[in-house]
Amino acid sequence: MDTLLIEGVARLAGDFHASGAKNAALPCLAATLLTSQPVRLRNVPALRDIRTMTALLAEMGARLVWDEATGTVDIDCSGVFRLEAPYDLVRTMRASVLCLGPLVARYGHARVSLPGGCAIGERPIDQHLAAVEALGARIDLSHGYVDARARRLVGARIPMEMVTVTGTMNAAMAATLARGESVIENAACEPEVVDLCDFLRAMGAEIEGDGSPTIHIQGCEELAGGEFPVMADRIEAGTYLIGCAMTGGRVCFTKEELRHLHLPLDLLTRAGVHVADEDEAWVVTGPERLTAVDVTTAPYPAFPTDLQAQWMAAMATADGVSVVREEVFENRFMHVSELLRMGADIRVDGSTAVVRGVPALSGAPVMATDLRASASLVLAGLIARGETRLSRIYHLDRGYERLEEKLAALGARVVREGS
Ligand code: EPU
């Protein structure tokens, strides 16, 4: 199994180039099930999760051609015949559940495996089910599968009991082909939801209010094909941004890449980071040592849970004590025990972690159980003295395109080794 060898201490310097967003590309791929006409998606990142989603669509009968070098995926769902997301694929990637809404909306039937718990929490899909049920689907749960059926979905009020990103996406996709108007209340406002809605609009859907908690969708008979560029990955950009800050680096980001990172940028400025406006770019310079700053994760526009682990790695050597609260997932502190092994001083009490900044970390063999925890350990490895060897890097390959190449281009010594 491959490992990542990180030589500290590094200082990131140079130009960053964001990949397409995993969490926008996945729903856009699922949304192609809504049309029988050809679709071209651009800026699709070459990631393991994308591979899983394309394999799922191919198993359903879609024809796909993915040019990884250009990030272009051509998809034709006219031959889809198998209306199922099987356990084997849903187990490896929860986002497979995004096929539920499109399948039941277009074909009147979907069979999707229940995902079960995962490394960062229980993560039920009750809100996804309630949404398609509100649109008139009959839901049957048996043998570990959701079976959803409807002759034609009918527009309805969809009140979400909590803010859920993929739940909102499933509801929105299903509502585009329902008869009449739907209103999603308490919708997620994440930029990836807006990106999906932009794609749906490009296919002819009538949607208003995305990016706010109330989304209005006027259902239509059918959607057309089209071409759409997936947005830049704000979480990838945020990871490198935090990496730049904590290594005292100097990295240039385009304004587009940091467009949705207002709060992290604001907090980094409070922590001592300097951000200079240079035409189309933001030039970010980290201080010799960051100052401790508290964060609490919550749905957008608050601090993203997907950057919490990376923030904690940065706070591990900051000057002072910071409090990190995780309010989205119940079990997203899996990186803490590994950071402790690198010399960090962190105490966890329920959903709160108290981080006392130490002068330095030391490299160690570490492993992680999820994608963002792995990213935080890579960042910690950059500032740790000596060598950090990260195992189970298949987690990283799910969500960070060409990580070692991009870090090396910024001056870090990071090498992938096979075993
Ligand atoms: N929840 C429910 N019931 C539901 C849906 C969600 O109780 O029906 C709960 C979850 O258990 C969680 C909270 O609501 O406690 C929010 O979860 P949400 O549904 O928003 O998460 P998600 O849609 O499953 C997406 C991203 C995650 C990201 C979260 C939060 C994708 C494919 N995944 O997950 O990304 O952390 O939103 O922003 O878009 C990652 O990329 O590393 C990742 C985990």
Side-chain angles (χ1 to χ4, degrees):
M1 216 179 278
D2 287 0
T3 60
L4 213 58
L5 188 64
I6 306 145
E7 285 280 345
V9 175
R11 199 182 275 274
L12 298 186
D15 293 342
F16 170 73
H17 301 288
S19 296
K22 165 179 84 79
N23 290 348
L26 289 171
C28 287
L29 281 165
T32 64
L33 288 165
L34 291 164
T35 179
S36 57
Q37 293 178 30
V39 173
R40 169 169 285 186
L41 291 175
R42 290 189 282 112
N43 205 28
V44 176
L47 297 170
R48 204 157 63 94
D49 274 7
I50 302 294
R51 227 157 272 139
T52 307
M53 185 58 98
T54 54
L56 176 58
L57 294 176
E59 266 198 34
M60 290 177 180
R63 280 188 298 150
L64 292 102
V65 180
W66 182 6
D67 180 351
E68 289 197 18
T70 61
T72 306
V73 187
D74 287 302
I75 309 142
D76 177 349
C77 284
S78 59
V80 164
F81 63 93
R82 188 166 176 230
L83 311 175
E84 179 174 319
Y87 176 63
D88 279 352
L89 288 175
V90 180
R91 186 173 52 92
T92 56
M93 190 188 67
R94 303 178 52 83
S96 316
V97 79
L98 284 165
C99 294
L100 174 69
L103 283 180
V104 74
R106 171 138 178 258
Y107 299 94
H109 182 209
R111 196 166 177 270
V112 175
S113 170
L114 284 164
C118 78
I120 59 177
E122 212 176 291
R123 299 180 79 182
I125 57 161
D126 55 307
Q127 298 306 302
H128 301 237
L129 303 185
V132 288
E133 218 165 15
L135 294 169
R138 271 173 294 111
I139 303 281
D140 177 42
L141 299 181
S142 57
H143 308 293
Y145 276 79
V146 178
D147 194 85
R149 284 176 195 271
R151 200 162 285 154
R152 168 136 192 229
L153 296 178
V154 180
R157 188 178 145 248
I158 308 173
M160 295 282 181
E161 278 172 25
M162 79 225 353
V163 177
T164 153
V165 177
T166 51
T168 300
M169 290 167 165
N170 245 332
M173 289 188 283
T176 56
L177 291 183
R179 193 184 319 119
E181 197 193 23
S182 298
V183 182
I184 307 174
E185 295 170 0
N186 199 21
C189 303
E190 266 67 3
E192 292 77 9
V193 172
V194 177
D195 208 48
L196 169 66
C197 290
D198 282 341
F199 174 45
L200 293 170
R201 273 188 289 265
M203 295 162 86
E206 281 182 49
I207 307 175
E208 278 175 18
D210 45 305
S212 84
T214 310
I215 304 180
H216 291 262
I217 300 171
Q218 196 63 50
C220 58
E221 293 292 325
E222 56 181 18
L223 292 177
E227 184 169 339
F228 185 73
V230 173
M231 66 181 277
D233 195 321
R234 68 187 170 107
I235 302 301
E236 185 201 31
T239 302
Y240 284 80
L241 180 64
I242 294 171
C244 166
M246 65 199 272
T247 59
R250 189 173 190 278
V251 177
C252 187
F253 296 85
T254 64
K255 291 195 171 163
E256 186 57 29
E257 286 162 349
L258 301 189
R259 186 151 78 97
H260 304 293
L261 292 168
H262 293 293
L263 184 59
L265 267 174
D266 191 34
L267 296 173
L268 282 172
T269 310
R270 276 203 256 155
V273 168
H274 181 71
V275 182
D277 185 344
E278 287 191 9
D279 298 330
E280 289 301 292
W282 292 116
V283 179
V284 179
T285 311
E288 273 314 305
R289 190 178 185 191
L290 289 169
T291 303
V293 173
D294 301 344
V295 298
T296 300
T297 69
Y300 190 82
F303 193 88
T305 172
D306 289 344
L307 289 177
Q308 177 261 109
Q310 299 88 316
W311 188 268
M312 204 184 293
M315 291 300 107
T317 55
D319 186 13
V321 179
S322 57
V323 177
V324 176
R325 287 197 183 83
E326 173 55 57
E327 308 255 304
V328 179
F329 293 110
E330 68 269 26
N331 190 26
R332 212 174 194 184
F333 283 147
M334 306 299 278
H335 42 288
V336 170
S337 52
E338 299 300 281
L339 290 172
L340 293 180
R341 298 185 53 256
M342 298 176 76
D345 180 350
I346 304 170
R347 273 196 209 148
V348 174
D349 181 10
S351 59
T352 301
V354 178
V355 188
R356 281 171 207 285
V358 294
L361 297 181
S362 62
V366 288
M367 65 170 152
T369 44
D370 77 84
L371 168 60
R372 308 302 171 188
S374 307
S376 91
L377 296 174
V378 172
L379 297 187
L382 295 177
I383 52 164
R385 294 195 182 124
E387 191 179 291
T388 295
R389 187 178 288 278
L390 177 65
S391 51
R392 297 197 182 168
I393 58 170
Y394 49 83
H395 290 298
L396 278 175
D397 294 335
R398 293 184 60 176
Y400 288 92
E401 193 180 41
R402 295 182 284 107
L403 177 84
E404 61 272 32
E405 208 180 291
K406 288 192 183 192
L407 282 172
L410 295 173
R413 280 167 298 165
V414 179
V415 182
R416 181 183 293 252
E417 290 185 350
S419 60

